[in-house]
Amino acid sequence: MQIKLKSPISPEVYYDLNSLGIAILDPSALSQVQDHLKKTIQSPLLVIEVNPSRHLYFFSFKGTSLVFLIATLIFNENKWYVESFIFDGTLEIAQAKFKEGPIIYTKEN
């Protein structure tokens, strides 16, 4: 089953449990990861275009430590799909991803 999400720059983004790139057996943990994915897609802080068919969506949590949520989307058959999702990215991971392409969207303040 595919789930459809709205994005501020592409009207339809689809994902299924295979798209998350992780195996989660705990239903409450899976629900939390899905909630984080929805926030990342629907309200990203910024979007980087690696190429016209691959975008990276970023969202971050600030608490005791800075955690980055990073969704990789690919364009296939005229639709955007979640290819992978990092729900516990470090600053180092985010900085490496920032270098993959130009910023094409930033959230308005």
Side-chain angles (χ1 to χ4, degrees):
M1 179 179 102
Q2 290 185 342
I3 299 170
K4 182 170 74 170
L5 300 172
K6 295 225 179 220
S7 160
I9 64 167
S10 54
E12 296 178 340
V13 174
Y14 293 87
Y15 81 96
D16 58 26
L17 295 183
N18 294 327
S19 300
L20 299 178
I22 51 175
I24 298 179
L25 302 177
D26 178 4
S28 63
L30 178 58
S31 176
Q32 187 176 27
V33 169
Q34 288 177 307
D35 289 346
H36 289 333
L37 177 64
K38 289 175 187 176
K39 286 180 189 175
T40 304
I41 299 298
Q42 294 175 335
S43 185
L45 296 178
L46 61 92
V47 178
I48 290 176
E49 183 176 77
V50 177
N51 61 51
S53 64
R54 186 175 301 266
H55 289 172
L56 302 175
Y57 280 56
F58 289 82
F59 194 86
S60 67
F61 283 103
K62 295 173 184 164
T64 56
S65 62
L66 186 60
V67 176
F68 289 88
L69 310 176
I70 306 166
T72 302
L73 274 58
I74 56 168
F75 195 67
N76 186 18
E77 297 180 5
N78 296 319
K79 292 180 185 174
W80 285 99
Y81 293 93
V82 175
E83 179 183 60
S84 64
F85 182 56
I86 300 171
F87 62 95
D88 57 356
T90 63
L91 178 59
E92 291 78 16
I93 291 171
Q95 287 174 329
K97 296 284 187 186
F98 290 158
K99 297 176 184 175
E100 292 190 24
I103 296 172
I104 59 170
Y105 171 86
T106 57
K107 187 174 183 173
E108 295 179 13
N109 293 332

